[in-house]
Amino acid sequence: MSVSPPRPKGPPLNAMRAFEAAARLNGFVAAAQELGVTPGAVSQQVKALEDWTGTPLFQRNPQGVLLTAAGQALLPSFVDAFDALGAATQALRSLRPVQELHIAALPSIAQLWLPQRLDRLRRALPDLKISVTAMEEPPNLNRELFDFAIFYASPEERPEAALVLQGDRIFPVCAPAVAAGLNHPEDLSQVALLQDQTWAGDWTQWRKSTGLVLPNADSGPAYSLYSLALQQAIAGAGVLMGHQALVADALDQGSLMCPFKDLIADSGRQLILVQPPRARRGPAHETILGLLK
C-alpha cells in the first residue's frame, strides 16, 4: 500500500506578490494600484503572510507602513523571484505562433499620438497582432507583458533605460475662428481657457514662463481626458494649452492653430518610451521601435 502523506504547504502566491509589491513600493496604496486591487486587499494578503510566518513584516502606523528588519531582509529575494517569474512568462508568450505587440500608454498618447504610428506598423508588419492599453501609470515591464510603455515623465521620474522621444513643449492652440480674435496674448483673458484635469497647472506654468498676466488662467472648463478638451478646442469652445506631440496632427490638418508662435514654454516633462529588459524583447523589437519613434 502506497503512502501519500500530506505535504507542507507554502503561503499563497497572491500573499507573496502583495508583500513584494508593498515592500518595493513602500506602501499598500501604491501596491494596490500596481496590482489592480484595493489597499484593503493588499493589507489582508500581507497579514495572511505574516500569520503564516509568525513574524511581522511591516510596522503599521497612522502615517503608513514601514518594513521591519525581517521584511527588509526578505525583499531582495522576492524582487528577484518575481522578476524571474516575469521573464519566464515572457518566454512562454514568445512561443505563441502569432506575433503580438502589447503597448501601454497614457490615454492622451494612446488617442492622439499613437494612431498614425500604428498605421505605419500595420502596413510594415501586416501579420502583427497589436493591442493598446490606456493607463494612467506606467506598468512594470519587468513583470507585465507589455512590449513598450509610452508616457510623460520628468527627468527625475524617467527610468534609466527609457528613450526620450521629445521634450514636452506647451503653447496655446484653438480653432481658426477663435484665433482670428486673438491679436495679442492679453486677449486670452477674454476667452475660455480649457483645462485638462491631469495637467491642471498648464496655464499657470505657461503664464509664469512667458511673464503674462492671465486672471482667468485657472477658471476655464475642465475635462477629465485631454482628448475631450482637444475636441472642444477644435469645436471653438475656447483655447487649450497644447502639448506639442498631442496637437501635432490637428495643427497639420488645420483644425487647430497656434495663435502666438513665439510664446512656447517647456513643461518640464518628456515624452518617453520604456522597453522591457533586452532578454525579453521579441525578434521584431528593433523594427517596431523604429516605426514607433
Side-chain angles (χ1 to χ4, degrees), residues 6-59:
R7 306 195 177 189
K9 290 185 177 179
L13 180 62
N14 283 343
M16 293 192 285
R17 191 184 298 276
F19 162 73
E20 188 274 342
R24 174 170 43 83
L25 299 172
N26 300 311
F28 292 169
V29 173
Q33 290 174 342
E34 179 175 283
L35 299 175
V37 298
T38 64
V42 171
S43 178
Q44 289 179 347
Q45 293 286 4
V46 171
K47 183 63 168 59
L49 193 64
E50 291 175 321
D51 290 344
W52 188 86
T53 61
T55 302
L57 302 174
F58 286 94
Q59 295 175 358

Side-chain angles (χ1 to χ4, degrees):
M1 180 178 178
S2 62
V3 178
S4 300
R7 306 195 177 189
K9 290 185 177 179
L13 180 62
N14 283 343
M16 293 192 285
R17 191 184 298 276
F19 162 73
E20 188 274 342
R24 174 170 43 83
L25 299 172
N26 300 311
F28 292 169
V29 173
Q33 290 174 342
E34 179 175 283
L35 299 175
V37 298
T38 64
V42 171
S43 178
Q44 289 179 347
Q45 293 286 4
V46 171
K47 183 63 168 59
L49 193 64
E50 291 175 321
D51 290 344
W52 188 86
T53 61
T55 302
L57 302 174
F58 286 94
Q59 295 175 358
R60 294 157 174 83
N61 56 64
Q63 289 73 41
V65 295
L66 292 172
L67 278 171
T68 63
Q72 290 174 350
L74 284 173
L75 179 58
S77 60
F78 270 68
V79 171
D80 290 345
F82 280 103
D83 282 349
L85 181 59
T89 306
Q90 180 65 32
L92 261 179
R93 176 189 167 207
S94 67
L95 299 177
R96 303 179 72 167
V98 177
Q99 187 181 1
E100 298 180 353
L101 173 67
H102 295 270
I103 298 173
L106 195 68
S108 56
I109 294 170
Q111 293 167 315
L112 301 171
W113 184 85
L114 262 180
Q116 276 196 2
R117 289 158 179 84
L118 295 183
D119 286 343
R120 290 205 303 257
L121 273 173
R122 293 188 184 97
R123 289 195 299 269
L125 301 168
D127 295 330
L128 184 66
K129 184 178 178 181
I130 302 172
S131 67
V132 177
T133 301
M135 49 188 10
E136 295 294 340
E137 296 293 333
N140 181 349
L141 296 193
N142 286 326
R143 310 286 176 79
E144 299 193 54
L145 296 179
F146 291 105
D147 300 287
F148 296 98
I150 308 170
F151 287 80
Y152 282 104
S154 67
E156 297 76 24
E157 299 168 331
R158 186 182 74 225
E160 189 174 333
L163 298 177
V164 177
L165 300 177
Q166 60 179 267
D168 184 30
R169 303 206 305 167
I170 57 175
F171 44 85
V173 295
C174 58
V178 176
L182 299 174
N183 299 311
H184 306 284
E186 290 74 17
D187 294 339
L188 288 169
S189 62
Q190 307 302 317
V191 298
L193 302 184
L194 308 181
Q195 312 281 333
D196 170 72
Q197 292 175 355
T198 302
W199 295 313
D202 276 358
W203 278 105
T204 297
Q205 184 173 356
W206 181 80
R207 175 183 60 79
K208 289 178 179 177
S209 177
T210 57
L212 292 171
V213 175
L214 289 176
N216 57 334
D218 300 315
S219 61
Y223 301 89
S224 61
L225 291 174
Y226 190 81
S227 58
L228 294 177
L230 184 73
Q231 288 303 315
Q232 288 301 300
I234 290 172
V239 183
L240 175 67
M241 185 54 60
H243 292 255
Q244 185 175 22
L246 304 181
V247 301
D249 287 351
L251 291 173
D252 289 344
Q253 294 161 5
S255 55
L256 286 178
M257 295 181 62
C258 174
F260 309 112
K261 295 182 179 179
D262 56 339
L263 295 177
I264 295 176
D266 185 344
S267 76
R269 294 179 290 265
Q270 298 167 329
L271 181 63
I272 65 168
L273 184 147
V274 186
Q275 310 171 74
R278 190 170 298 277
R280 291 183 52 195
R281 298 174 189 176
H285 181 91
E286 292 303 322
T287 300
I288 294 169
L289 176 61
L291 292 165
L292 282 176
K293 288 165 67 173

